[in-house]
Amino acid sequence: MRKKIFFTPGPTQLAPKASFFIKKAIEDDIGSISHRGEIFKKIFKEAIFNLRKILNLPETHEIAFLSSSIEAMEVIILSMVKKKSFHFINGAFSKKWYLMAKNLGKESDYFEFSQSNSILNAKITKKPELLCLTHNETSIGMMVPMDEIYQIKKKYYDIPLALDVVSSFPYPKIDFNFVDILFFSVQKGLGLPAGLSVIVVNKKYSEKTSGGFHDFKSLFSKARIFQTPETPNVLGIYLLAKITKEIIKKNVEQIRKEIDIKSNLLYNYFSSSLIGRPFIKEFCYRSKTTIVIDVGNRTDFIVKKLEKEGFIIGKGYGQYKENHIRIANFPQHTISMIKKLIGIINKIEKSF
Amino acid sequence: MRKKIFFTPGPTQLAPKASFFIKKAIEDDIGSISHRGEIFKKIFKEAIFNLRKILNLPETHEIAFLSSSIEAMEVIILSMVKKKSFHFINGAFSKKWYLMAKNLGKESDYFEFSQSNSILNAKITKKPELLCLTHNETSIGMMVPMDEIYQIKKKYYDIPLALDVVSSFPYPKIDFNFVDILFFSVQKGLGLPAGLSVIVVNKKYSEKTSGGFHDFKSLFSKARIFQTPETPNVLGIYLLAKITKEIIKKNVEQIRKEIDIKSNLLYNYFSSSLIGRPFIKEFCYRSKTTIVIDVGNRTDFIVKKLEKEGFIIGKGYGQYKENHIRIANFPQHTISMIKKLIGIINKIEKSF
């Protein structure tokens, strides 16, 4: 059987060397080593070192690990918010974060934005303790320009800002003068098996506590000695250390350029395709990493045709399940893979 | 280099077929499949099915997954306890659970027990909402006989009882008439890479909510449709499904018998060894799965000697770091491995 290529928004195609490193992990007894021992600490340190380099992270911020981005959302709310957070909502994942805060008993507020109603129009009153923003809304393929995010932070400079880059990392080049908290998962742009997420917190806030075993205080007091409060996903952290090294080798700037090239290829194709049109019309809000195309009600047809050729793409999210297709454009998706995908979609188009 | 054998209390020696299944997972694209798709649901269902069989779990209880046992401890406290839990403490891990409840703002109580002061001596007043008990205290190698646990539950029949079997599963045969909540991790007696834990909850309690994304209500509403609230450790759940099938094939009763045989071999050896004596004197409280030996101040010497031969054992826990050695006796440790280990220890003894 032909090996499949996954263009799903995540879990997705693994990084080219992921399988190699998984096999190496078995040889190196990574599944058996103690999470309190020196070998583990070295792996943890290496992962942090590489991530700092990729993020170009200043000394003002520190890094720790959690199990999922949903956990990161909760840990952030619990650690940072006593009464009220403020959420910018434009789709399922940003909404999930808001609802999570409400479920946790917070009196949170939100501003609903879209490609025709920018986050800059939000009026934030009754000073919240935290601003929550999702950089790339995977559910609809909308990405907020970093500059708009910085403008928000400049306007509300004394309110900490938490940014979800779950499905955009490592694409955005982030100025950490304007971002206090950041998180992402490994099963998207890093191309690793799911079960691990990364959280970055400004040291101003990393002593905050809610009493939970994963609150900032507990998490970072351990992270500073290259440890975790629990027995963590050791294999996941090992793979993260290895894959981030590969990213540094390749050069993250080069990766960003390629993501631009590949997203241009896709958007150009769909600008005049019978298959469908990009769901997001405003160019500046179109996601570079999750290309969402409105295909009428032909989602199933297209997804199945592509699957037959070994190309796995995502269906629409939630209400758009039957009307959208979603194509991930992560570092592990090469230009040649994207060109092949477009070729097959073009064949499907011609069969119409 | 000779392949090491890990007798550490966990993470520890992987199950014999773990490496095989990890490689198979790569072939089967387990790192790329969607956690919302049918393949994942089938894997989830299979893992649950196998665990139910191993636990001989009645229909009164249901199963879900978390990321670690520390997370399970927290989720249990948050879901079950508004004001007060009651903890039986005899070592580091049972104490951690109690301190966690206190950190979360609960007015929890405890009873400190030992081999000379049984849990049956506890006086539980001002009715707590939950009894918390650690079956096998890995820190000191003490295991509570199931019968004592059942007696506690019979005495306080209307208070739910949560049992930590993190480092004893699958050894104890559990009567779920007396155990309401149970949890364990995969990196101990299942011999899998860390990053996943299993929680079992009586349906009487599985609707309880704290508002968290992993509270019982959220967790089990997803588990019932073979899903998780977050993107989970898909690879971990896949490996769990595979390894539990192996356990069923071998027969869990046979595994329990072998654990008895192996622990007898170890305790018999240390009953007259110059190396040291079992830390727990009372036979009925000696752990079958974590054999802790008081070796004076020779821990480092013994651990290093064994390491040279490829046998990795645990040092003492906390205050006993320099005075104890800890030897795990899990299903993946064969009789022949244990005999070899004893042989090497015997050689070390003769060099004294």
Side-chain angles (χ1 to χ4, degrees), chain A residues 38, chain B residues 2 4-5 8 275 295 297-316 321-322 324-327 341 344-345 347-349 351-352:
Chain A
E38 291 309 316
Chain B
R2 188 204 311 235
K4 290 175 190 159
I5 304 176
T8 36
I275 294 278
V295 295
N297 55 2
R298 291 180 305 232
T299 298
D300 257 354
F301 174 78
I302 296 164
V303 166
K304 275 181 188 152
K305 280 270 185 190
L306 282 168
E307 201 177 344
K308 266 191 192 153
E309 307 278 343
F311 291 75
I312 314 298
I313 63 164
K315 294 186 177 189
K321 197 169 175 151
E322 308 298 330
H324 287 180
I325 57 170
R326 295 187 298 155
I327 300 168
L341 176 69
I344 307 284
I345 295 177
K347 267 204 329 201
I348 298 172
E349 180 178 344
S351 75
F352 275 9

Short mmCIF file of all heavy atoms in Angstrom, two decimals, chain A residues 38, chain B residues 2 4-5 8 275 295 297-316 321-322 324-327 341 344-345 347-349 351-352:
data_model
loop_
_atom_site.label_atom_id
_atom_site.label_comp_id
_atom_site.label_asym_id
_atom_site.label_seq_id
_atom_site.Cartn_x
_atom_site.Cartn_y
_atom_site.Cartn_z
N GLU A 38 19.72 12.04 35.54
CA GLU A 38 20.53 13.01 34.78
C GLU A 38 20.26 12.95 33.28
O GLU A 38 20.30 13.98 32.60
CB GLU A 38 22.02 12.80 35.07
CG GLU A 38 22.44 13.17 36.50
CD GLU A 38 21.98 14.57 36.92
OE1 GLU A 38 22.11 15.52 36.12
OE2 GLU A 38 21.44 14.71 38.04
N ARG B 2 26.04 -4.22 26.14
CA ARG B 2 24.97 -5.10 26.60
C ARG B 2 23.68 -4.29 26.84
O ARG B 2 23.72 -3.18 27.36
CB ARG B 2 25.41 -5.73 27.92
CG ARG B 2 24.47 -6.83 28.42
CD ARG B 2 24.61 -7.01 29.92
NE ARG B 2 26.01 -7.11 30.31
CZ ARG B 2 26.50 -8.12 31.02
NH1 ARG B 2 25.74 -9.10 31.40
NH2 ARG B 2 27.77 -8.12 31.38
N LYS B 4 20.59 -3.01 28.69
CA LYS B 4 20.28 -2.91 30.12
C LYS B 4 18.93 -3.56 30.46
O LYS B 4 18.04 -3.61 29.63
CB LYS B 4 20.21 -1.43 30.50
CG LYS B 4 21.54 -0.73 30.47
CD LYS B 4 21.34 0.76 30.74
CE LYS B 4 22.61 1.54 30.49
NZ LYS B 4 22.34 2.95 30.25
N ILE B 5 18.83 -4.00 31.72
CA ILE B 5 17.51 -4.40 32.23
C ILE B 5 17.17 -3.47 33.38
O ILE B 5 17.96 -3.32 34.32
CB ILE B 5 17.49 -5.86 32.71
CG1 ILE B 5 17.94 -6.81 31.59
CG2 ILE B 5 16.09 -6.26 33.18
CD1 ILE B 5 18.04 -8.28 32.03
N THR B 8 13.93 -0.53 37.96
CA THR B 8 13.55 0.69 38.66
C THR B 8 12.03 0.71 38.86
O THR B 8 11.29 0.09 38.09
CB THR B 8 14.01 1.89 37.82
OG1 THR B 8 13.85 1.57 36.43
CG2 THR B 8 15.47 2.19 38.06
N ILE B 275 23.90 -8.17 52.19
CA ILE B 275 23.62 -6.92 51.48
C ILE B 275 22.66 -6.04 52.28
O ILE B 275 22.85 -4.83 52.42
CB ILE B 275 23.01 -7.22 50.09
CG1 ILE B 275 24.02 -7.91 49.18
CG2 ILE B 275 22.43 -5.96 49.45
CD1 ILE B 275 25.01 -7.03 48.47
N VAL B 295 19.98 -1.21 53.03
CA VAL B 295 21.35 -1.70 52.79
C VAL B 295 22.40 -0.87 53.56
O VAL B 295 23.55 -0.76 53.13
CB VAL B 295 21.69 -1.69 51.28
CG1 VAL B 295 20.81 -2.68 50.53
CG2 VAL B 295 21.54 -0.29 50.69
N ASN B 297 24.47 2.15 54.45
CA ASN B 297 24.76 3.30 53.59
C ASN B 297 25.46 2.87 52.29
O ASN B 297 26.25 3.60 51.73
CB ASN B 297 25.60 4.34 54.35
CG ASN B 297 26.85 3.71 54.92
OD1 ASN B 297 27.09 2.51 54.71
ND2 ASN B 297 27.65 4.49 55.62
N ARG B 298 25.13 1.65 51.84
CA ARG B 298 25.83 1.11 50.67
C ARG B 298 25.04 1.21 49.37
O ARG B 298 25.35 0.54 48.39
CB ARG B 298 26.21 -0.34 50.94
CG ARG B 298 27.29 -0.49 52.01
CD ARG B 298 27.60 -1.96 52.20
NE ARG B 298 26.39 -2.70 52.52
CZ ARG B 298 26.28 -3.51 53.56
NH1 ARG B 298 27.28 -3.71 54.38
NH2 ARG B 298 25.15 -4.15 53.78
N THR B 299 23.98 2.03 49.37
CA THR B 299 23.13 2.14 48.18
C THR B 299 23.95 2.43 46.93
O THR B 299 23.86 1.69 45.94
CB THR B 299 22.08 3.26 48.38
OG1 THR B 299 21.26 2.91 49.49
CG2 THR B 299 21.21 3.43 47.14
N ASP B 300 24.76 3.47 46.99
CA ASP B 300 25.54 3.88 45.81
C ASP B 300 26.44 2.77 45.31
O ASP B 300 26.52 2.52 44.10
CB ASP B 300 26.40 5.11 46.16
CG ASP B 300 25.78 6.38 45.61
OD1 ASP B 300 24.78 6.27 44.88
OD2 ASP B 300 26.30 7.46 45.92
N PHE B 301 27.12 2.14 46.24
CA PHE B 301 28.04 1.05 45.91
C PHE B 301 27.31 -0.06 45.15
O PHE B 301 27.74 -0.50 44.07
CB PHE B 301 28.65 0.52 47.21
CG PHE B 301 29.52 -0.69 47.03
CD1 PHE B 301 30.81 -0.57 46.55
CD2 PHE B 301 29.02 -1.96 47.34
CE1 PHE B 301 31.60 -1.71 46.38
CE2 PHE B 301 29.81 -3.10 47.17
CZ PHE B 301 31.10 -2.98 46.69
N ILE B 302 26.17 -0.48 45.69
CA ILE B 302 25.42 -1.60 45.09
C ILE B 302 24.83 -1.21 43.74
O ILE B 302 24.92 -1.95 42.76
CB ILE B 302 24.31 -2.07 46.06
CG1 ILE B 302 24.95 -2.62 47.34
CG2 ILE B 302 23.42 -3.12 45.40
CD1 ILE B 302 23.99 -2.76 48.50
N VAL B 303 24.23 -0.02 43.70
CA VAL B 303 23.61 0.45 42.46
C VAL B 303 24.64 0.52 41.34
O VAL B 303 24.38 0.09 40.21
CB VAL B 303 22.92 1.82 42.69
CG1 VAL B 303 22.56 2.49 41.37
CG2 VAL B 303 21.67 1.65 43.54
N LYS B 304 25.82 1.02 41.66
CA LYS B 304 26.87 1.15 40.63
C LYS B 304 27.42 -0.19 40.18
O LYS B 304 27.66 -0.41 38.99
CB LYS B 304 27.99 2.05 41.16
CG LYS B 304 27.65 3.51 40.93
CD LYS B 304 28.74 4.45 41.42
CE LYS B 304 28.23 5.89 41.34
NZ LYS B 304 28.89 6.74 42.33
N LYS B 305 27.61 -1.08 41.13
CA LYS B 305 28.09 -2.43 40.79
C LYS B 305 27.10 -3.11 39.83
O LYS B 305 27.50 -3.73 38.84
CB LYS B 305 28.20 -3.29 42.07
CG LYS B 305 29.45 -3.02 42.88
CD LYS B 305 30.59 -3.94 42.42
CE LYS B 305 31.81 -3.76 43.31
NZ LYS B 305 32.99 -4.45 42.75
N LEU B 306 25.82 -2.99 40.16
CA LEU B 306 24.78 -3.62 39.32
C LEU B 306 24.71 -2.95 37.95
O LEU B 306 24.53 -3.62 36.93
CB LEU B 306 23.41 -3.54 40.01
CG LEU B 306 23.19 -4.58 41.13
CD1 LEU B 306 21.95 -4.23 41.94
CD2 LEU B 306 23.06 -5.98 40.54
N GLU B 307 24.87 -1.65 37.94
CA GLU B 307 24.81 -0.91 36.68
C GLU B 307 25.90 -1.40 35.72
O GLU B 307 25.66 -1.52 34.51
CB GLU B 307 24.94 0.59 36.95
CG GLU B 307 24.39 1.43 35.80
CD GLU B 307 24.45 2.93 36.06
OE1 GLU B 307 24.63 3.34 37.24
OE2 GLU B 307 24.33 3.68 35.08
N LYS B 308 27.07 -1.67 36.26
CA LYS B 308 28.17 -2.18 35.44
C LYS B 308 27.80 -3.46 34.73
O LYS B 308 28.30 -3.76 33.65
CB LYS B 308 29.40 -2.41 36.34
CG LYS B 308 30.34 -1.23 36.37
CD LYS B 308 31.66 -1.60 37.03
CE LYS B 308 32.44 -0.32 37.32
NZ LYS B 308 33.35 -0.48 38.46
N GLU B 309 26.92 -4.24 35.37
CA GLU B 309 26.50 -5.53 34.79
C GLU B 309 25.24 -5.35 33.93
O GLU B 309 24.68 -6.34 33.45
CB GLU B 309 26.21 -6.53 35.91
CG GLU B 309 27.34 -6.71 36.91
CD GLU B 309 28.42 -7.67 36.40
OE1 GLU B 309 28.15 -8.43 35.45
OE2 GLU B 309 29.54 -7.64 36.95
N GLY B 310 24.77 -4.11 33.81
CA GLY B 310 23.59 -3.85 32.98
C GLY B 310 22.27 -3.94 33.72
O GLY B 310 21.21 -3.92 33.11
N PHE B 311 22.34 -4.05 35.04
CA PHE B 311 21.10 -4.14 35.83
C PHE B 311 20.85 -2.80 36.54
O PHE B 311 21.64 -2.40 37.39
CB PHE B 311 21.20 -5.26 36.86
CG PHE B 311 21.21 -6.64 36.25
CD1 PHE B 311 22.34 -7.12 35.61
CD2 PHE B 311 20.08 -7.43 36.29
CE1 PHE B 311 22.36 -8.38 35.02
CE2 PHE B 311 20.07 -8.69 35.71
CZ PHE B 311 21.22 -9.17 35.06
N ILE B 312 19.77 -2.14 36.17
CA ILE B 312 19.47 -0.83 36.74
C ILE B 312 18.41 -1.00 37.83
O ILE B 312 17.28 -1.40 37.53
CB ILE B 312 18.95 0.15 35.66
CG1 ILE B 312 19.81 0.09 34.39
CG2 ILE B 312 18.85 1.57 36.22
CD1 ILE B 312 21.25 0.50 34.58
N ILE B 313 18.79 -0.70 39.07
CA ILE B 313 17.78 -0.74 40.15
C ILE B 313 17.61 0.66 40.72
O ILE B 313 18.37 1.57 40.41
CB ILE B 313 18.17 -1.73 41.28
CG1 ILE B 313 19.48 -1.29 41.95
CG2 ILE B 313 18.30 -3.15 40.74
CD1 ILE B 313 19.72 -1.95 43.29
N GLY B 314 16.58 0.84 41.57
CA GLY B 314 16.30 2.15 42.13
C GLY B 314 17.06 2.39 43.42
O GLY B 314 17.32 1.46 44.20
N LYS B 315 17.42 3.67 43.64
CA LYS B 315 17.94 4.06 44.95
C LYS B 315 16.75 4.23 45.90
O LYS B 315 15.60 4.14 45.49
CB LYS B 315 18.67 5.40 44.83
CG LYS B 315 19.92 5.32 43.98
CD LYS B 315 20.68 6.64 44.01
CE LYS B 315 21.97 6.50 43.22
NZ LYS B 315 22.85 7.64 43.37
N GLY B 316 17.05 4.52 47.16
CA GLY B 316 15.99 4.79 48.11
C GLY B 316 15.27 6.09 47.77
O GLY B 316 15.77 6.91 47.00
N LYS B 321 17.36 7.80 50.47
CA LYS B 321 18.13 7.76 49.22
C LYS B 321 19.43 6.97 49.33
O LYS B 321 19.76 6.18 48.44
CB LYS B 321 18.43 9.21 48.80
CG LYS B 321 18.84 9.31 47.35
CD LYS B 321 18.87 10.75 46.85
CE LYS B 321 19.42 10.71 45.43
NZ LYS B 321 18.93 11.78 44.59
N GLU B 322 20.17 7.18 50.41
CA GLU B 322 21.49 6.56 50.55
C GLU B 322 21.47 5.24 51.29
O GLU B 322 22.52 4.63 51.50
CB GLU B 322 22.43 7.54 51.29
CG GLU B 322 22.50 8.95 50.73
CD GLU B 322 23.03 8.98 49.30
OE1 GLU B 322 23.84 8.10 48.95
OE2 GLU B 322 22.60 9.87 48.53
N HIS B 324 18.56 2.78 51.10
CA HIS B 324 17.70 1.72 50.55
C HIS B 324 18.09 1.43 49.11
O HIS B 324 18.63 2.29 48.42
CB HIS B 324 16.23 2.17 50.54
CG HIS B 324 15.58 2.21 51.89
ND1 HIS B 324 14.27 2.58 52.06
CD2 HIS B 324 16.04 1.89 53.12
CE1 HIS B 324 13.96 2.52 53.35
NE2 HIS B 324 15.02 2.11 54.02
N ILE B 325 17.78 0.22 48.67
CA ILE B 325 17.68 -0.04 47.24
C ILE B 325 16.24 -0.48 46.96
O ILE B 325 15.56 -1.01 47.85
CB ILE B 325 18.67 -1.12 46.74
CG1 ILE B 325 18.47 -2.44 47.50
CG2 ILE B 325 20.12 -0.64 46.85
CD1 ILE B 325 19.23 -3.61 46.89
N ARG B 326 15.75 -0.17 45.75
CA ARG B 326 14.38 -0.54 45.41
C ARG B 326 14.39 -1.35 44.11
O ARG B 326 14.97 -0.92 43.10
CB ARG B 326 13.52 0.72 45.27
CG ARG B 326 13.39 1.45 46.63
CD ARG B 326 12.40 2.61 46.57
NE ARG B 326 12.82 3.61 45.62
CZ ARG B 326 11.99 4.46 45.01
NH1 ARG B 326 10.69 4.39 45.24
NH2 ARG B 326 12.46 5.36 44.18
N ILE B 327 13.75 -2.51 44.16
CA ILE B 327 13.73 -3.42 43.02
C ILE B 327 12.28 -3.64 42.59
O ILE B 327 11.47 -4.13 43.37
CB ILE B 327 14.37 -4.78 43.38
CG1 ILE B 327 15.83 -4.57 43.81
CG2 ILE B 327 14.26 -5.76 42.22
CD1 ILE B 327 16.46 -5.79 44.47
N LEU B 341 19.39 -11.31 38.40
CA LEU B 341 19.65 -10.17 39.29
C LEU B 341 20.14 -10.67 40.65
O LEU B 341 21.15 -10.16 41.18
CB LEU B 341 18.37 -9.34 39.46
CG LEU B 341 18.47 -8.17 40.43
CD1 LEU B 341 19.37 -7.07 39.90
CD2 LEU B 341 17.08 -7.58 40.76
N ILE B 344 23.73 -11.80 40.49
CA ILE B 344 24.71 -10.71 40.49
C ILE B 344 24.84 -10.11 41.89
O ILE B 344 25.95 -9.82 42.36
CB ILE B 344 24.32 -9.59 39.49
CG1 ILE B 344 24.05 -10.13 38.09
CG2 ILE B 344 25.41 -8.51 39.45
CD1 ILE B 344 25.26 -10.51 37.30
N ILE B 345 23.69 -9.91 42.54
CA ILE B 345 23.73 -9.35 43.91
C ILE B 345 24.53 -10.29 44.82
O ILE B 345 25.32 -9.85 45.65
CB ILE B 345 22.30 -9.11 44.45
CG1 ILE B 345 21.59 -8.03 43.61
CG2 ILE B 345 22.33 -8.68 45.92
CD1 ILE B 345 20.14 -7.76 43.98
N LYS B 347 26.95 -12.20 43.94
CA LYS B 347 28.38 -12.01 43.63
C LYS B 347 28.92 -10.78 44.37
O LYS B 347 30.02 -10.81 44.93
CB LYS B 347 28.58 -11.79 42.12
CG LYS B 347 28.88 -13.05 41.36
CD LYS B 347 29.62 -12.87 40.04
CE LYS B 347 29.40 -11.61 39.26
NZ LYS B 347 29.74 -11.73 37.83
N ILE B 348 28.11 -9.71 44.37
CA ILE B 348 28.52 -8.48 45.08
C ILE B 348 28.68 -8.79 46.57
O ILE B 348 29.66 -8.40 47.20
CB ILE B 348 27.47 -7.35 44.87
CG1 ILE B 348 27.37 -6.99 43.39
CG2 ILE B 348 27.84 -6.12 45.70
CD1 ILE B 348 26.25 -6.03 43.04
N GLU B 349 27.71 -9.54 47.10
CA GLU B 349 27.75 -9.90 48.53
C GLU B 349 29.05 -10.64 48.86
O GLU B 349 29.69 -10.37 49.88
CB GLU B 349 26.53 -10.78 48.85
CG GLU B 349 26.49 -11.21 50.30
CD GLU B 349 25.26 -12.04 50.66
OE1 GLU B 349 24.29 -12.06 49.87
OE2 GLU B 349 25.29 -12.68 51.72
N SER B 351 31.83 -10.37 47.50
CA SER B 351 33.02 -9.51 47.41
C SER B 351 33.20 -8.67 48.67
O SER B 351 34.17 -7.95 48.81
CB SER B 351 32.91 -8.61 46.18
OG SER B 351 31.98 -7.57 46.42
N PHE B 352 32.22 -8.72 49.58
CA PHE B 352 32.30 -7.89 50.81
C PHE B 352 33.50 -8.32 51.67
O PHE B 352 33.74 -9.48 51.90
CB PHE B 352 31.02 -8.07 51.64
CG PHE B 352 29.91 -7.14 51.19
CD1 PHE B 352 30.04 -6.38 50.04
CD2 PHE B 352 28.74 -7.01 51.93
CE1 PHE B 352 29.02 -5.53 49.64
CE2 PHE B 352 27.73 -6.18 51.54
CZ PHE B 352 27.86 -5.44 50.39
#
